[in-house]
């Protein structure tokens, strides 16, 4: 399942992304964690060293390489220059899974305590003042568009803060979106903004209350987000330690918070993957982007990249493997 963590800056979004990824890995599940936040704090939250992170190639710095890999032999995409972040896969595209053969993981992944970490990458000196961070996040969107994840496999993405992720179609790439909200007006305000934008796009949003001190905080969240509130994590010394750079064993996590993580996994596992919807949303946002800017940017009609007979999913993955 593909899982996004979103929320207001400072809500604990990155910390909970790392904690949930660690919990899944602790349970023995294959887990990929992607830092798609401009602040790039997921690696330290997982316990990666500064030296390892500095040596790890960032997805956002190798867009052409990733495009050439993913377009494969798809005749509708003759060059990397004609591939944009929304370009949907089709017959001949290189599809990905979570096996050891995944070339993106081998090239850009770092193993951290059972979690495979990938980074979008920060702004470089050349980017400052002239580039949008969404050009880098486009690498993550392309990865998700070409990924077929199976039962018991998880991809956790730490997204940009607030509603900024709506600047691209990547918000539709997830089976479950966890919105981390503190029991404050600002915390729940981001939920209402996110829910309004997502309402017409069939996006499942589940609110995770964070830094909750007692029943009054839970009641406040319930009053403001209603049935969208799925679970709450209490104010945690364990999490506080993570935020200070320590990485205690999960056995030290408070029992109620451990149960909250287990409940979150149960919710994710109970969610049905809909590959037809996944494909349709990809095509819809691609055509929208093509009309608004991408046709002009590439000099070609990118609507021709849509393969009308292609549906993403396990059958497409099997065909892609057979063609290699």
């Amino acid at each position: 399942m593909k899982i996004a963590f979103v929320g207001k800056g400072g809500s604990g979004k990155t910390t909970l992304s790392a904690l949930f990824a660690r919990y899944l890995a602790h349970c023995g599940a294959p887990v990929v964690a992607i830092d798609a936040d401009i602040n790039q704090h997921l690696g330290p939250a997982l316990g990666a060293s500064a030296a390892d992170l500095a040596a790890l190639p960032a997805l956002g710095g190798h867009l052409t390489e990733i495009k050439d890999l993913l377009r494969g032999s798809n005749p509708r995409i003759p060059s990397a220059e004609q591939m944009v972040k929304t370009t949907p896969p089709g017959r001949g595209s290189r599809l990905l899974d979570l096996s050891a053969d995944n070339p993106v993981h081998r090239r850009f992944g770092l193993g951290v305590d059972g979690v495979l970490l990938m980074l979008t990458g920060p702004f470089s000196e050349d980017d400052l003042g002239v580039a949008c961070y969404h050009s880098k996040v486009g690498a993550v969107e392309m990865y998700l568009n070409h990924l077929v994840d199976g039962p018991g496999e998880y991809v956790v993405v730490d997204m940009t803060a607030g509603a900024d992720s709506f600047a691209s179609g990547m918000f539709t790439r997830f089976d479950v979106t966890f919105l981390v909200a503190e029991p404050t007006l600002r915390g729940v305000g981001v939920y209402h903004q996110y829910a309004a934008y997502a309402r017409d796009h069939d996006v499942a949003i589940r609110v995770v209350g964070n830094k909750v001190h007692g029943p009054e905080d839970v009641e406040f969240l319930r009053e403001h987000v209603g049935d969208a509130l799925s679970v709450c994590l209490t104010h945690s010394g364990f999490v506080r330690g993570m935020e200070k750079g320590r990485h205690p064993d999960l056995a030290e996590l408070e029992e109620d918070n451990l149960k909250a993580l287990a409940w979150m996994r149960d919710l994710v596992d109970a969610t049905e993957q809909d590959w037809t919807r996944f494909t349709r949303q990809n095509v819809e946002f691609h055509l929208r982007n093509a009309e608004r800017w991408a046709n002009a940017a590439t000099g070609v009609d990118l609507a021709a990249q849509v393969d009308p007979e292609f549906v993403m999913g396990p059958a497409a993955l099997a065909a892609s493997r057979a063609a290699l």
Side-chain angles (χ1 to χ4, degrees), residues 62-245:
H62 298 81
L63 290 173
T64 299
E65 179 183 345
I66 292 170
K67 290 177 181 180
D68 275 331
L69 172 68
L70 296 180
R71 68 187 181 89
S73 61
N74 187 336
R76 297 174 180 271
I77 314 171
S79 69
E81 290 73 25
Q82 294 184 19
M83 186 173 182
V84 296
K85 63 183 181 180
T86 56
T87 295
R91 286 168 292 180
S93 295
R94 175 66 181 270
L95 303 187
L96 306 171
D97 59 14
L98 267 68
S99 73
D101 294 329
N102 186 315
V104 175
H105 294 175
R106 292 200 306 268
R107 175 77 168 91
F108 300 100
L110 171 68
V112 185
D113 197 20
V115 177
L116 189 137
L117 171 68
M118 296 195 295
L119 308 177
T120 302
F123 272 133
S124 68
E125 188 68 28
D126 292 340
D127 296 324
L128 296 178
V130 297
C132 170
Y133 192 66
H134 293 287
S135 63
K136 295 181 180 294
V137 176
V140 181
E141 188 169 349
M142 287 188 288
Y143 166 84
L144 295 173
N145 284 342
H146 291 76
L147 179 71
V148 180
D149 42 328
E153 299 175 336
Y154 304 90
V155 178
V156 176
V157 182
D158 181 22
M159 299 282 280
T160 52
D164 192 52
S165 55
F166 281 95
S168 77
M170 197 164 80
F171 74 95
T172 66
R173 303 296 79 198
F174 301 100
D175 301 297
V176 175
T177 296
F178 285 126
L179 188 142
V180 182
E182 299 169 278
T184 65
L185 289 176
R186 289 182 62 195
V188 299
V190 171
Y191 162 73
H192 291 294
Q193 186 181 31
Y194 211 111
Y197 289 147
R199 185 170 295 118
D200 296 330
H201 298 285
D202 202 13
V203 173
I205 301 175
R206 301 288 183 262
V207 174
V208 177
N210 193 30
K211 305 178 185 178
V212 169
H213 284 272
E216 289 186 1
D217 284 346
V218 176
E219 183 58 32
F220 176 88
L221 289 167
R222 183 77 65 191
E223 176 185 352
H224 286 274
V225 307
D227 292 340
L229 181 63
S230 295
V231 70
C232 290
L233 281 87
T234 59
H235 197 272
S236 167
F238 182 98
V239 171
R240 188 69 172 162
M242 285 182 61
E243 292 174 341
K244 291 180 178 179

Side-chain angles (χ1 to χ4, degrees), residues 256-274:
D256 55 345
N257 288 330
L258 191 62
K259 288 180 178 178
L261 295 176
W263 191 94
M264 290 167 65
R265 182 185 182 180
D266 288 345
L267 186 151
V268 169
D269 289 345
T271 301
E272 182 180 356
Q273 283 185 313
D274 188 337

